[in-house]
Amino acid sequence: MSRYWSELARGLSPYVPGEQPRIAGLVKLNTNESPFGPSPKALEAVRAAADETLRLYPDPQSTRLREVLADYHGVAPEQVFVGNGSDEVLAHAFAGLLKQAGPLLYPDVTYSFYPVYCRLFGINYETVPLDAGMRVHTPDYLGRGGAIIIANPNAPTGIALSRRQIERLVAARPDIPVVIDEAYVDFGAETAISLVRDHPNLLVVQTMSKSRALAGLRVGYAIGDAALIEGLTRVKDSFNSYPLGRPAQAGAIAAIEDEAYFQQSRLAIIANRRALTTDLASLGFEVLPSSANFVFARHPGHSGHALAAALREQAVLVRHFSGPRVSDFLRITVGSSAELGRLTEALAATLAAPPPH
Ligand code: PMP
């Protein structure tokens, strides 16, 4: 705290990202990064962009990238917004769309950045409890609220809603903006992008950080009705006109164009998730049904906190959240087969050890 801080800075409670420690031989399963590298073509494009043209500002509209994304998703370029990671895209959506007279609704267990943005932008919100199975119950979002945001699949549960459920929700609330945060959609959920055409209140947000393995490049995007996108652009151009540098724009374009690599790596994650789920179940864990690149699992005999600490001792990092309903669980990123082997070995050793006195 400093006396020079503004009232705004004093009132914030910032998001706490997963650790990025430098520990030799670390198995890092705490921030949902891809165990596979990005597309070699994306790397080549980033390298090629690192030339003398870096003295020039990038295209502030990321025109070519938006065209490529529009083409890929079957929409018009005016329906595509890009930003510095989907976190930034979400920030602009909170400021530009989700701040309404009525409270913003989102699940009580979800991405912990949402309340942080509400605080930053002075947005009133109400959380809506997940059901007993830790699922989002969309009928609870009807008849109240001034805006809605739902992560699909939800984080940190990994549980997905169907496109049909999203469709019913956006159709039932045509009066208010609905944002679907699809950071993990490529690992087994249905995207709502095709609903954008008939639902001018729907904004779908995706990222290149997970299924395209480009978390370090910081590229996210949103797809929605052109008028919604214009609202985001107004906020962006009041904040930072050049959110994506030249290497980021070039790398993102090449990543989208490398469909074969994308399919191969997302299918490998899905296969590893199945193996991880089986291994965890055989160690006595309850594993929620995940459509993401992580699983949310708890053990009846051990607290989430103790398990995460024991794994850390063995150089295996997973994410543990404190808080009601989630503190028993571990959120474990689906890594490579070798990483998951190390994880299950470490868990087996921990579970076999006598409990501390
Ligand atoms: N949405 C959800 C649900 C997430 O878990 C994350 C990753 N922390 C993001 C958005 C943001 O990802 P990025 O900024 O890397 O696109």
Side-chain angles (χ1 to χ4, degrees):
M1 172 74 95
S2 153
R3 69 188 172 106
Y4 302 114
W5 287 6
S6 68
E7 203 182 313
L8 175 76
R10 271 182 243 167
L12 297 177
S13 33
Y15 174 71
V16 184
E19 308 174 72
Q20 298 286 355
R22 296 204 186 156
I23 300 173
L26 180 71
V27 174
K28 195 172 174 305
L29 303 174
N30 67 330
T31 48
N32 301 338
E33 287 139 332
S34 169
F36 311 121
S39 148
K41 290 178 185 159
L43 293 181
E44 209 176 288
V46 170
R47 281 192 204 103
D51 66 6
E52 49 76 36
T53 60
L54 282 178
R55 75 190 175 79
L56 301 170
Y57 282 104
D59 172 6
Q61 277 97 37
S62 299
T63 310
R64 180 80 192 115
L65 172 57
R66 286 175 41 245
E67 284 168 1
V68 168
L69 284 167
D71 195 41
Y72 186 79
H73 288 294
V75 298
E78 302 73 49
Q79 294 177 289
V80 182
F81 179 83
V82 299
N84 190 256
S86 62
D87 278 337
E88 187 185 77
V89 175
L90 289 167
H92 294 339
F94 273 72
L97 304 174
L98 299 179
K99 183 169 179 164
Q100 299 289 340
L104 171 63
L105 306 180
Y106 56 77
D108 61 343
V109 174
T110 191
Y111 185 29
S112 51
F113 223 131
Y114 301 162
V116 174
Y117 285 140
C118 287
R119 181 73 76 100
L120 175 63
F121 298 120
I123 298 171
N124 256 326
Y125 68 93
E126 274 174 23
T127 58
V128 181
L130 297 183
D131 71 12
M134 304 283 274
R135 293 174 179 278
V136 173
H137 188 237
T138 48
D140 296 344
Y141 293 74
L142 307 184
R144 63 202 184 103
I148 296 171
I149 182 165
I150 292 174
N152 191 46
N154 195 17
T157 63
I159 299 176
L161 293 168
S162 68
R163 183 187 295 120
R164 187 78 192 100
Q165 286 172 301
I166 306 270
E167 184 173 19
R168 270 192 235 119
L169 178 67
V170 293
R173 301 305 312 268
D175 48 323
I176 64 171
V178 179
V179 173
I180 304 296
D181 176 355
E182 295 190 346
Y184 302 103
V185 76
D186 295 323
F187 302 107
E190 297 174 319
T191 177
I193 288 176
S194 61
L195 305 177
V196 156
R197 197 166 43 124
D198 294 329
H199 300 279
N201 58 328
L202 171 65
L203 186 80
V204 179
V205 178
Q206 295 199 354
T207 179
M208 305 240 172
S209 297
K210 316 292 179 181
S211 55
R212 312 248 170 206
L214 287 171
L217 204 62
R218 312 304 300 130
V219 183
Y221 58 95
I223 293 182
D225 186 68
L228 286 190
I229 299 301
E230 197 186 333
L232 296 181
T233 307
R234 285 169 71 86
V235 176
K236 168 212 164 232
D237 288 333
S238 307
F239 178 75
N240 177 6
S241 334
Y242 304 102
L244 293 193
R246 290 169 173 272
Q249 293 185 32
I253 290 168
I256 292 290
E257 287 175 343
D258 196 349
E259 180 67 9
Y261 187 87
F262 166 71
Q263 290 299 343
Q264 177 198 316
S265 54
R266 85 183 183 89
L267 293 174
I269 300 279
I270 292 172
N272 287 3
R273 181 179 67 216
R274 277 199 204 106
L276 171 63
T277 304
T278 309
D279 289 350
L280 289 172
S282 64
L283 289 169
F285 280 86
E286 175 201 351
V287 187
L288 299 189
S290 173
S291 299
N293 68 339
F294 55 83
V295 299
F296 207 46
R298 67 176 156 189
H299 196 280
H302 297 259
S303 81
H305 180 75
L307 284 175
L311 287 174
R312 200 174 202 289
E313 292 283 301
Q314 299 169 81
V316 177
L317 267 197
V318 299
R319 191 93 199 253
H320 173 255
F321 298 96
S322 38
R325 300 190 76 184
V326 297
S327 62
D328 288 346
F329 286 86
L330 299 178
R331 192 198 68 189
I332 306 170
T333 302
V334 178
S336 65
S337 303
E339 289 172 319
L340 297 178
R342 282 271 314 276
L343 167 84
T344 35
E345 249 171 56
L347 276 175
T350 304
L351 297 174
H357 294 291

